[in-house]
Amino acid sequence: MKGIRQLAEHLQISTGTVSRALNGKSDVNAETRRRVLAAAEDLGYVPNQAGRSLRQGASKTIGLVLNHGSSVGAGNENFFPLVIAGLQNVLSRHGLDLVLLLCPREENYDAFLRRMVARRLVDAMIITATRVKDPRFAFLTTAGMPFVSLGRSDSALPGNNWVDLDFEGIAERAVLRLFERGHRRIAIAAPASDVNLGKLFLEGYRAGLAKCGLQEEPDYIFYEQALEEGGYRVGEKLLASKKRPTAIVLNAELMSVGLYRRLGEAGLVPGRDLAVIAERESPVGRFLLPRLTCFRLDLDALGRMLAEMLLSNLPAFAEGYQDVPRNRIWPLELVEGESDPPLAAPD
Amino acid sequence: MKGIRQLAEHLQISTGTVSRALNGKSDVNAETRRRVLAAAEDLGYVPNQAGRSLRQGASKTIGLVLNHGSSVGAGNENFFPLVIAGLQNVLSRHGLDLVLLLCPREENYDAFLRRMVARRLVDAMIITATRVKDPRFAFLTTAGMPFVSLGRSDSALPGNNWVDLDFEGIAERAVLRLFERGHRRIAIAAPASDVNLGKLFLEGYRAGLAKCGLQEEPDYIFYEQALEEGGYRVGEKLLASKKRPTAIVLNAELMSVGLYRRLGEAGLVPGRDLAVIAERESPVGRFLLPRLTCFRLDLDALGRMLAEMLLSNLPAFAEGYQDVPRNRIWPLELVEGESDPPLAAPD
DNA sequence: CTGAAAGCGCTTACAG
DNA sequence: CTGAAAGCGCTTACAG
């Protein structure tokens, strides 16, 4: 089956009627619609997307823009697949397809985004891995490309939609919890890059210290990559510190793999010799020994919220999504592990 | 800037000439081309994809089809991002964009694939996570959608292109290595599902046993999910076995996280009390204690090979890719770790 | 070297 | 309820 014309000829009716029948327009005879649908099913007809897109000025496709390295895979296993499931759950109700867009390593990120916008391959975008200063907010706003951001940024404009995890909240709660458990020398690992969550994580950490009446100790802040290797280096630095912290808050659970190894190499036992709380629950953390204390969130619901925010921005779908909030800070719940028992002998 | 017409009007020349200039056709005056290119750059003009696709019958977009759960994230962190980098490296040379397509959880996989093919959103596809019997080979072949498969299948047709890891080879070599190191009771973990690599992995295992003159012991074959939790259950079963194996070959490195934990809970030390070799090198394995002995491959090169095979199938690009092989079994190299020292006291 | 024109496959006012 | 026609933005024979 080639196109709608062939289908129409086969049915001996006009392409206009076929199109209306296929698209569920109301002004079509019931029997005609039945015949059209049956024939389309039979002959395996599906509208050519290019034709539709051109005519309608919309591709019915949403793009999820992921940063190479920072987002897919690297430290985010089990994050995006679940968010995507939530996104698709909502989008598919409206016949919208989701495609993932990755900037090729060789291409400049801004050029890539500009090209993706101009090509009009997608009607709207979801951007991720926001930075403190992030030109994408202004660019997409100006370009008229509807979008929602997974992540905050100082560059977000008043009208922009975003959802972000409560990074500051979890860092603060981690500090308070460790304090209650007797810890007074509490370190933190934060990303070395300019991703916005690093800033938030540190803010929460400082807020926590302040609430506990603890002094901030610059030596206890470790800027490292949010991966296994970064965790290993955190361990290295911890072992070298003059007055070693008794607890640490990691902004990524994968770091704990490297940290555990480094501690083990030195004959130290995670949990017993160093309390650890890591940001996000994931299978790796659950099967480490000791099991990580971490924070859990409903990723599927997060994906659905992102989709709903996006739809509230698209004129064709906004009606059903009137009362979706413009912004949302997503809560996380502490999951008790084995990695942060109370300190045996508080200083 | 809206369309090519506005650009042409601005330049006071015809849209045809603008199009030819933009698309690098030879029959354009050098000065005209310069002006067109400058104006396009200036005004931020990029051709509307729908118009191009419709006219050319091609979208200049390639789809990488990933299975939810089995492929992105789950157990494959650091796998696809690197393969994708290789793919894009080759595709971008030809102005081809890559998009990732994930089947929504609610949608039937076959229906999804049929829809994606019919929509003509992409000109060609890369499929992954092949099963022993896999209807996609026949479907895509019949539908005339060019494709290449990352993974073999009994359903692959003679003309189909594929690249696959040498699963049988690594399983066999793992067994031989463990045998040389004194092990006689060598277990294996293979996927519980019908993914083709599970079959290959077992074949290699059996070939290895045969070469070593070892008897196959049904109790030493553990069918488990290739994730942390599956590894934990392998540990459970190992501890329960009458005559415990002294070594195990895992088909996924993430399993070792769960296995290490289960052994640790029982007071056993991985490496010392159980030799472990896992399939693929990854950061997690490198930072486990003991570091995993595993197999390494050049994922970027694998991605490039996939792209080249695909291009050799596309009439518009085939010329430059005449001598790309039709199929390829990709070699892996053993990376020595700390998890499989020689057995202290061979039986 | 350039312009005018056709047409890719579709949807949608418009007329009846 | 249906058909005929226009047109979305682009590229590409074709004529000059």
Side-chain angles (χ1 to χ4, degrees):
Chain A
M1 174 52 46
K2 250 201 81 222
I4 198 170
R5 184 138 96 233
Q6 284 68 34
L7 183 57
E9 276 166 11
H10 173 259
L11 286 161
Q12 305 268 52
I13 55 178
S14 75
T15 57
T17 301
V18 171
S19 173
R20 283 189 293 266
L22 252 21
N23 289 296
K25 303 288 175 187
S26 57
D27 56 351
V28 178
N29 178 289
E31 169 60 10
T32 307
R33 164 168 289 127
R34 201 198 51 69
R35 282 184 57 222
V36 171
L37 261 29
E41 173 68 44
D42 236 42
L43 304 174
Y45 170 79
V46 176
N48 174 306
Q49 192 53 42
R52 289 192 100 170
S53 298
L54 186 55
R55 170 64 225 229
Q56 300 190 311
S59 64
K60 301 279 188 176
T61 304
I62 307 295
L64 171 59
V65 187
L66 298 175
N67 284 14
H68 223 121
S70 84
S71 290
V72 188
N76 278 302
E77 38 114 29
N78 293 93
F79 185 80
F80 280 107
L82 293 165
V83 173
I84 289 168
L87 275 168
Q88 289 182 321
N89 177 277
V90 173
L91 296 179
S92 64
R93 281 183 224 152
H94 301 284
L96 295 168
D97 279 318
L98 184 76
V99 300
L100 314 203
L101 271 18
L102 269 78
C103 177
R105 217 172 259 178
E106 294 82 12
E107 193 169 0
N108 171 273
Y109 188 90
D110 293 334
F112 170 73
L113 195 63
R114 203 172 321 117
R115 202 162 56 80
M116 284 300 137
V117 168
R119 274 191 59 173
R120 297 277 148 191
L121 186 74
V122 299
D123 295 339
M125 288 184 175
I126 299 144
I127 62 170
T128 62
T130 51
R131 288 156 279 161
V132 178
K133 301 278 175 212
D134 201 321
R136 295 179 293 176
F137 289 85
F139 170 66
L140 292 173
T141 305
T142 309
M145 170 65 72
F147 75 101
V148 54
S149 161
L150 175 50
R152 278 164 281 178
S153 167
D154 287 357
S155 306
L157 303 172
N160 295 155
N161 287 77
W162 51 255
V163 184
D164 200 4
L165 307 199
D166 181 18
F167 291 107
E168 59 277 45
I170 58 181
E172 178 175 331
R173 279 154 65 199
V175 170
L176 295 181
R177 176 178 162 95
L178 290 166
F179 183 81
E180 281 169 17
R181 305 200 143 211
H183 296 278
R184 298 295 176 265
R185 298 201 301 277
I186 302 170
I188 189 165
S193 69
D194 62 340
V195 291
N196 194 65
L197 67 90
K199 191 183 104 172
L200 298 170
F201 211 63
L202 278 177
E203 282 173 14
Y205 170 69
R206 292 190 170 116
L209 290 185
K211 282 202 181 169
C212 300
L214 294 176
Q215 193 66 34
E216 181 180 327
E217 181 63 65
D219 285 359
Y220 289 177
I221 301 181
F222 302 109
Y223 294 96
E224 290 290 351
Q225 211 189 355
L227 292 173
E228 295 90 344
E229 196 169 343
Y232 187 85
R233 280 197 298 264
V234 166
E236 204 87 86
K237 291 183 183 172
L238 276 172
L239 293 170
S241 71
K242 301 175 299 284
K243 202 158 168 60
R244 195 194 303 154
T246 60
I248 187 161
V249 185
L250 301 174
N251 88 107
E253 67 282 8
L254 281 183
M255 299 185 86
S256 56
V257 177
L259 174 59
Y260 276 26
R261 176 176 173 102
R262 188 63 191 87
L263 293 177
E265 286 175 358
L268 298 178
V269 178
R272 190 193 69 188
D273 297 316
L274 178 76
V276 180
I277 300 184
E279 177 205 314
R280 211 173 56 74
E281 188 191 34
S282 82
V284 163
R286 211 157 64 229
F287 286 99
L288 284 176
L289 191 62
R291 185 190 313 284
L292 273 180
T293 292
C294 55
F295 292 90
R296 175 187 294 168
L297 75 162
D298 185 341
L299 291 166
D300 193 274
L302 174 67
R304 294 198 303 273
M305 171 59 73
L306 276 170
E308 288 168 6
M309 276 191 186
L310 195 58
L311 291 171
S312 76
N313 269 335
L314 298 176
F317 306 101
E319 205 195 340
Y321 300 93
Q322 305 279 20
D323 29 70
V324 176
R326 185 175 301 288
N327 307 127
R328 180 77 186 276
I329 294 183
W330 201 267
L332 292 96
E333 158 202 3
L334 186 122
V335 182
E336 186 118 14
E338 308 155 340
S339 61
D340 67 337
L343 192 61
D347 322 67
Chain B
M1 174 50 46
K2 251 202 78 223
I4 198 169
R5 182 138 97 233
Q6 283 69 33
L7 183 58
E9 277 168 9
H10 173 259
L11 285 161
Q12 304 269 50
I13 55 178
S14 75
T15 58
T17 300
V18 171
S19 172
R20 283 189 294 266
L22 253 22
N23 289 295
K25 303 287 176 188
S26 57
D27 56 351
V28 179
N29 179 287
E31 169 62 11
T32 308
R33 163 167 290 128
R34 202 198 49 71
R35 284 183 57 223
V36 171
L37 260 29
E41 172 70 44
D42 238 42
L43 304 174
Y45 170 79
V46 175
N48 174 306
Q49 191 53 41
R52 288 192 101 170
S53 298
L54 185 55
R55 171 63 224 232
Q56 299 189 313
S59 64
K60 302 277 188 177
T61 304
I62 307 295
L64 171 60
V65 187
L66 298 175
N67 284 14
H68 223 120
S70 84
S71 289
V72 189
N76 278 301
E77 37 113 33
N78 292 93
F79 185 81
F80 279 107
L82 294 165
V83 173
I84 288 168
L87 275 168
Q88 289 182 321
N89 177 276
V90 172
L91 296 178
S92 64
R93 283 182 224 153
H94 301 284
L96 295 168
D97 279 318
L98 184 75
V99 300
L100 314 204
L101 271 17
L102 269 80
C103 177
R105 216 173 260 177
E106 294 82 12
E107 194 170 358
N108 171 273
Y109 187 89
D110 292 334
F112 170 72
L113 195 64
R114 202 174 319 119
R115 201 162 57 80
M116 284 301 136
V117 167
R119 272 192 60 173
R120 296 278 148 190
L121 185 74
V122 299
D123 296 339
M125 288 184 175
I126 300 144
I127 62 169
T128 62
T130 50
R131 288 155 279 162
V132 178
K133 301 278 177 212
D134 200 322
R136 294 178 294 175
F137 288 86
F139 170 66
L140 292 173
T141 305
T142 308
M145 169 65 71
F147 75 101
V148 54
S149 161
L150 174 50
R152 279 165 279 177
S153 167
D154 287 357
S155 305
L157 302 172
N160 295 155
N161 287 78
W162 51 255
V163 184
D164 201 3
L165 308 199
D166 181 18
F167 291 107
E168 59 277 45
I170 58 180
E172 178 175 331
R173 280 154 65 200
V175 170
L176 295 181
R177 176 177 163 94
L178 291 166
F179 183 80
E180 280 169 18
R181 304 200 142 210
H183 295 279
R184 298 295 176 264
R185 298 201 302 276
I186 304 171
I188 190 165
S193 69
D194 61 342
V195 292
N196 196 64
L197 68 90
K199 190 183 105 172
L200 298 171
F201 210 62
L202 278 177
E203 281 172 14
Y205 170 69
R206 292 190 171 117
L209 290 184
K211 282 202 182 169
C212 299
L214 293 176
Q215 194 66 33
E216 180 181 328
E217 181 63 68
D219 285 358
Y220 290 178
I221 302 180
F222 302 108
Y223 295 95
E224 289 291 351
Q225 210 190 356
L227 292 172
E228 296 88 346
E229 195 169 345
Y232 187 85
R233 278 197 299 263
V234 166
E236 204 86 88
K237 291 183 185 173
L238 275 171
L239 293 171
S241 70
K242 299 173 301 287
K243 202 158 169 59
R244 195 195 304 156
T246 62
I248 187 161
V249 185
L250 302 174
N251 89 108
E253 67 281 8
L254 280 184
M255 298 184 86
S256 56
V257 176
L259 175 59
Y260 276 27
R261 175 174 174 103
R262 189 62 193 86
L263 293 177
E265 286 175 358
L268 297 178
V269 178
R272 191 193 68 188
D273 298 315
L274 178 76
V276 179
I277 299 185
E279 177 204 313
R280 210 173 56 74
E281 188 191 33
S282 83
V284 162
R286 211 157 64 231
F287 287 98
L288 283 177
L289 190 63
R291 184 189 314 283
L292 273 181
T293 291
C294 56
F295 292 91
R296 175 187 295 167
L297 74 161
D298 186 341
L299 290 167
D300 193 274
L302 174 68
R304 293 198 303 274
M305 171 59 73
L306 277 170
E308 288 168 4
M309 276 190 184
L310 195 59
L311 292 170
S312 76
N313 269 335
L314 298 176
F317 307 100
E319 206 195 340
Y321 299 92
Q322 305 279 20
D323 28 70
V324 175
R326 185 175 300 289
N327 307 127
R328 181 76 186 278
I329 294 182
W330 201 268
L332 292 96
E333 160 202 3
L334 186 122
V335 182
E336 186 116 15
E338 307 156 340
S339 61
D340 65 340
L343 193 60
D347 322 69

